[in-house]
């Protein structure tokens, strides 16, 4: 594989392993275990003296192809594919921490991510401080002598706040902490956290990487030394491994990632502009618009906008429900990154477990709506919103 290949080529050919049959499409190796020619060969494999697979919980040829292809796209040295995005997040954080350590996390997180750092980690003696991640001063103030991990997502779910990844990384490097970035909303095409100084990147491959609503998956990417020292044993012994069938499905999905994300982003940008002109819409937040609160940071660290749009309706929950129920093409779902356009009311779904005060801090009101633009015809999508909005009470 050539390192000079551009992303669209890497995502079709990167990391491919072919059997003796020379198949065009990658093979699915549905096996738990592997056979050794001799007892001596088995012993050498377990000692690490020879390369090869041992057990599907540790790795398999299909999973290996997916991991290598993600590394090629992300610019990472190594990766581990996990059963879901949340398995990736949990593994990336907990594998490197012990009782007494401290996490600083941006408060604007997906509900389950926030639960991991705010509720789960403290059960094991790991402290956490949540900060408004938009201001670097907040990260610096939260540092203690025991701070080991900074965790953030950017753009955030669902309000599309953008955090200065390079700035957070500089603070982390000063104290020897690691920065973990959930890069789902930017996709690996529009933002490269490792190039910006982050140490670990996580994805829910369930989203854009599959992109067609078929399976769960996640991936953790970093340098080989960090994975060998921190993630390797955690991964082997706790068992968050991805199914080889899901790895194969994701390999097929990732081939078309650039095509899908390009169309989704074009659709999202045009819908955002359309919604910004509607009287029943209080505000629109989209990383591609000049009025985004962190437009200057976006210009520095993102090469594109997003497939997501966040907007707020003036009529609160009643208006949000009326709009969602009136849409014909756009479907109501808590998923995102799909080839189908999907719409979500965060306050009653993805972020319902937060307190009213916590949602208010994040800018999630009763009228907040998150749109994940699909690959449908742009004009059809805009017409769908144009027909639905008159059914919304102001």
């Amino acid at each position: 594989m050539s390192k000079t290949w551009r992303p669209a080529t890497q995502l079709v050919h990167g990391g491919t392993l072919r059997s003796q049959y020379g198949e065009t499409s990658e093979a699915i190796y549905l096996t738990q275990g592997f056979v050794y020619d001799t007892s001596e060969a088995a012993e050498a494999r377990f000692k690490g003296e020879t390369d090869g697979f041992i057990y599907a919980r540790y790795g398999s040829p299909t999973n290996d192809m997916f991991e290598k292809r993600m590394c090629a796209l992300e610019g990472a040295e190594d990766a581990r594919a996990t059963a879901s995005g949340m398995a990736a997040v949990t593994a990336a954080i907990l594998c490197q921490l012990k009782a007494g350590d401290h996490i600083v996390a941006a408060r604007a997180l997906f509900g389950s991510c926030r639960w991991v750092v705010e509720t789960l980690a403290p059960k094991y003696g790991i402290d956490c401080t949540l900060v408004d991640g938009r201001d670097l001063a907040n990260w610096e103030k939260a540092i203690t002598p025991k701070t080991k991990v900074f965790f953030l997502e950017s753009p955030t779910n669902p309000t599309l706040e953008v955090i200065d990844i390079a700035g957070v990384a500089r603070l982390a490097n000063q104290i020897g902490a690691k920065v973990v970035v959930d890069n789902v909303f930017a996709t690996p095409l529009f933002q490269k956290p490792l190039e910006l100084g982050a140490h670990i990147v996580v994805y829910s491959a369930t989203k854009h990487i599959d992109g067609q609503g078929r399976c769960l998956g996640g991936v953790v990417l970093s340098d080989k030394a960090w994975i060998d020292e921190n993630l390797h044993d955690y991964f082997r012994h706790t068992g968050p491994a991805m199914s080889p069938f899901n790895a194969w499905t994701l390999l097929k999905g990732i081939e078309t990632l650039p095509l899908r994300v390009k169309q989704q982003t074009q659709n999202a940008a045009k819908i955002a502009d359309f919604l910004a002109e509607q009287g029943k819409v209080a505000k629109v937040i989209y990383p591609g618009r000049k009025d985004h609160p962190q437009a200057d940071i976006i210009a520095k660290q993102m090469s594109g906008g997003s497939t997501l749009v966040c907007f707020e309706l003036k009529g609160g929950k009643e208006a949000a429900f009326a709009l969602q129920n009136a849409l014909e093409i756009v479907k109501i779902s808590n998923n995102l990154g799909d080839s189908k356009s999907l719409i979500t009311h965060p306050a009653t779904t993805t972020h319902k477990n937060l307190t009213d005060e916590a949602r208010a801090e994040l800018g999630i009101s009763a009228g907040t709506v998150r749109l994940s633009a699909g690959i449908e015809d742009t004009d059809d999508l805009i017409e769908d919103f144009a027909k639905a909005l008159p059914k919304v009470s102001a």
Side-chain angles (χ1 to χ4, degrees), residues 184-197:
V184 167
F185 271 39
T187 81
L189 297 173
F190 290 158
Q191 186 169 265
K192 302 290 189 183
L194 297 179
E195 293 180 5
L196 294 166

Side-chain angles (χ1 to χ4, degrees), residues 166-248:
V168 174
R170 283 194 296 271
L171 290 174
N173 288 335
Q174 290 172 11
I175 61 168
K178 299 295 184 183
V179 178
V180 180
V181 176
D182 181 339
N183 201 42
V184 167
F185 271 39
T187 81
L189 297 173
F190 290 158
Q191 186 169 265
K192 302 290 189 183
L194 297 179
E195 293 180 5
L196 294 166
H199 306 94
I200 302 105
V201 181
V202 296
Y203 287 99
S204 171
T206 311
K207 309 301 191 292
H208 300 91
I209 292 168
D210 174 31
Q212 292 160 81
R214 298 170 297 189
C215 68
L216 298 174
V219 63
V220 183
L221 303 108
S222 186
D223 61 81
K224 191 175 187 305
W226 182 87
I227 286 183
D228 286 347
E229 182 179 345
N230 297 278
L231 184 58
H232 181 72
D233 285 341
Y234 177 100
F235 187 86
R236 286 177 62 129
H237 299 303
T238 63
M242 177 183 288
S243 157
F245 182 82
N246 286 16
W248 180 84

Side-chain angles (χ1 to χ4, degrees), residues 41-61:
E43 180 183 32
R45 186 90 50 94
F46 271 77
K47 284 183 174 180
E49 295 173 351
T50 59
D51 293 332
F53 299 100
I54 293 173
Y55 192 57
R57 177 155 51 85
Y58 308 163
S60 76

Side-chain angles (χ1 to χ4, degrees), residues 3-183:
K3 291 183 179 180
T4 63
W5 287 348
R6 293 167 178 82
T9 306
Q10 290 176 335
L11 294 179
V12 176
H13 298 286
T16 299
L17 300 172
R18 286 192 171 87
S19 74
Q20 68 271 32
Y21 300 110
E23 62 276 349
T24 301
S25 179
E26 296 83 359
I28 311 174
Y29 291 89
L30 289 176
T31 181
Q32 301 108 324
F34 301 86
V35 174
Y36 313 98
D37 292 337
T38 65
S39 298
E40 290 78 8
E43 180 183 32
R45 186 90 50 94
F46 271 77
K47 284 183 174 180
E49 295 173 351
T50 59
D51 293 332
F53 299 100
I54 293 173
Y55 192 57
R57 177 155 51 85
Y58 308 163
S60 76
T62 312
N63 292 37
D64 188 61
M65 283 188 276
F66 173 66
E67 290 164 355
K68 282 185 167 58
R69 197 165 292 181
M70 283 300 303
C71 284
L73 176 61
E74 194 68 35
E77 290 181 356
D78 205 357
R80 292 292 184 273
T82 60
S84 69
M86 284 313 306
V89 168
T90 306
I93 292 172
L94 295 186
C95 77
Q96 58 182 318
L97 295 173
K98 64 182 184 304
D101 288 343
H102 177 237
I103 305 167
V104 181
R107 68 188 185 188
L109 295 171
F110 172 56
S112 293
C113 292
R114 185 156 165 165
W115 183 87
V116 168
V117 297
E118 190 177 26
T119 303
L120 179 64
K123 291 182 178 181
Y124 298 97
I126 302 166
D127 293 327
C128 175
T129 301
L130 295 174
V131 300
D132 181 345
R134 295 171 294 182
D135 188 343
L136 288 177
N138 295 331
W139 294 90
E140 189 168 15
K141 290 175 185 175
I143 293 172
T144 76
K146 295 183 178 181
T147 301
K148 302 298 182 185
V149 168
F150 289 172
F151 177 51
L152 62 96
E153 57 186 47
S154 183
T156 62
N157 184 0
T159 53
L160 300 173
E161 295 176 2
V162 174
I163 294 171
D164 184 350
I165 296 173
V168 174
R170 283 194 296 271
L171 290 174
N173 288 335
Q174 290 172 11
I175 61 168
K178 299 295 184 183
V179 178
V180 180
V181 176
D182 181 339
N183 201 42

Side-chain angles (χ1 to χ4, degrees), residues 288-306:
R289 287 177 57 87
K290 293 181 180 179
D291 59 0
H292 190 285
Q294 293 89 44
D296 56 334
I297 299 174
I298 292 168
K300 291 190 300 182
Q301 74 182 32
M302 294 179 67
S303 60
S306 177

Side-chain angles (χ1 to χ4, degrees), residues 275 281 283-284 309-313 323 343 367-369 371 385:
L275 291 171
V281 177
K283 65 177 178 180
V284 173
V309 180
C310 179
F311 61 99
E312 182 178 348
L313 292 162
L323 174 68
I343 198 162
T368 298
V369 178
L371 170 71
F385 277 98

